Amino acid sequence: MTRPLQDRYGRVATDLRVSLTDRCNLRCNYCMPAEGLDWLPDDSVLSDDEVVRLIGIGVSHLGVREVRFTGGEPLVRRGLVGIVERTRALGPDLELSITTNALGLARTADKLAAAGLDRVNVSLDSVRAETFHAITRRDRLPDVVAGLEAAQAAGLGPVKVNAVLLRGTNDDQAGELLAWCLERGYELRFIEQMPLDAQHGWSRTGMITAEEIFERLSRDFELSPAVEPRGSAPAELFRVDGGPGTVGVIASVTRPFCGDCDRVRLTADGQVRNCLFAREESDLRAALRGGATDEEIADRWVVAMLGKRAGHGIDDPTFLQPDRPMSAIGG
Ligand code: SAM
Ligand code: SF4
């Protein structure tokens, strides 16, 4: 029996974001501190079988139609290709994608495509080696570039690139990054920085707003609204210089799209989160390891959605950043 993952405001979640690990081989400064972040204990992280079982419940009982693997860095999860393959076996029509920093993607893109992955989103904030290092604290730009090329060659397209602009670091490079992506056929989307970093360093004045991004890009490019309806997609899409290239701006903070949200998240340690900014979680791991049936787990998941709030409330004076950082939630 299929039931929708519906909340009290009538929104139905069909897009499941699955975090496969909270660990990462970069240290982007808007996400993690340079060192000292505690990882989830190994025995709390779901096994491959457990992850696939929970996704299966989502697909067969709860109307999940889209699965995106994320993290932390999903490519550091050893069983990734097998998890993708088994998820594909759950539904030939499922949309399967991954959000990754692309380190090592050059080696695995073909295997992921063969396993049934449809698309990748690659995070890249600068194409200058020194700026890349300043943000990620690692000298790995060539690996990202090679990963992007491999993804495109493997047919994991359209390849999307996600970028966060940081004041005083790369906010002068928006146009350069867009030109670089357009030349290579990658779809670039800028994302407003959100208060989800482990070190709680976010500030509203530090954030580069969608308005500023638009203004900066407009200096070098002519942007016109793309005709596709926005629907539940968070990116506002613009045609660049008449097309066919486009650029997206995701104004998560200044123009929230919570009213159209169709997402639900599963953390690497088996907690359902009905929102990135949720302050409560629902423990599916305990149910799973306690011997619950698929129906019982589905029941618990349905109840978890009822607590979903109308919006993230970043502008609310009572706003509290969630205890889990983005890297442990799954971006
Ligand atoms: N490691 C993978 C990656 O970087 O693509 C997947 C996980 S990462 C948490 C997912 C996305 O979240 C990335 O595009 C990253 O840039 C973005 N991100 C991380 N911290 C963020 C923040 N504080 N505000 C906005 N986006 C953030
Ligand atoms: Fe790692 Fe992604 Fe966070 Fe960067 S944004 S530190 S690549 S999890």
Side-chain angles (χ1 to χ4, degrees), residues 121-135:
N121 280 20
V122 170
S123 305
L124 176 63
D125 306 316
S126 172
V127 288
R128 292 189 205 169
E130 64 282 9
T131 312
F132 182 90
H133 181 272
I135 296 172

Side-chain angles (χ1 to χ4, degrees), residues 30-31 70-74 99-101 123 162 164 191-194 196-197 326 331:
Y30 53 84
C31 181
T70 178
E73 176 45 49
T99 298
T100 173
N101 63 25
S123 305
N162 294 345
V164 177
I191 306 175
E192 281 180 345
Q193 189 188 356
M194 295 180 278
L196 286 170
D197 55 312
M326 180 78 128

Side-chain angles (χ1 to χ4, degrees), residues 19 21 23-26 28-32 68-75 98-102 121-125 161-164 166 189 191-198 202 252-253 276-277 321 325-331:
S19 173
T21 177
R23 299 182 189 221
C24 190
N25 37 18
L26 294 182
C28 305
N29 58 18
Y30 53 84
C31 181
M32 287 190 186
R68 171 176 297 275
F69 296 105
T70 178
E73 176 45 49
L75 291 179
I98 183 174
T99 298
T100 173
N101 63 25
N121 280 20
V122 170
S123 305
L124 176 63
D125 306 316
V161 171
N162 294 345
V164 177
L166 304 167
R189 294 124 40 102
I191 306 175
E192 281 180 345
Q193 189 188 356
M194 295 180 278
L196 286 170
D197 55 312
W202 181 91
S252 332
V253 179
L276 260 181
F277 295 92
Q321 184 171 333
M326 180 78 128
S327 54
I329 296 171

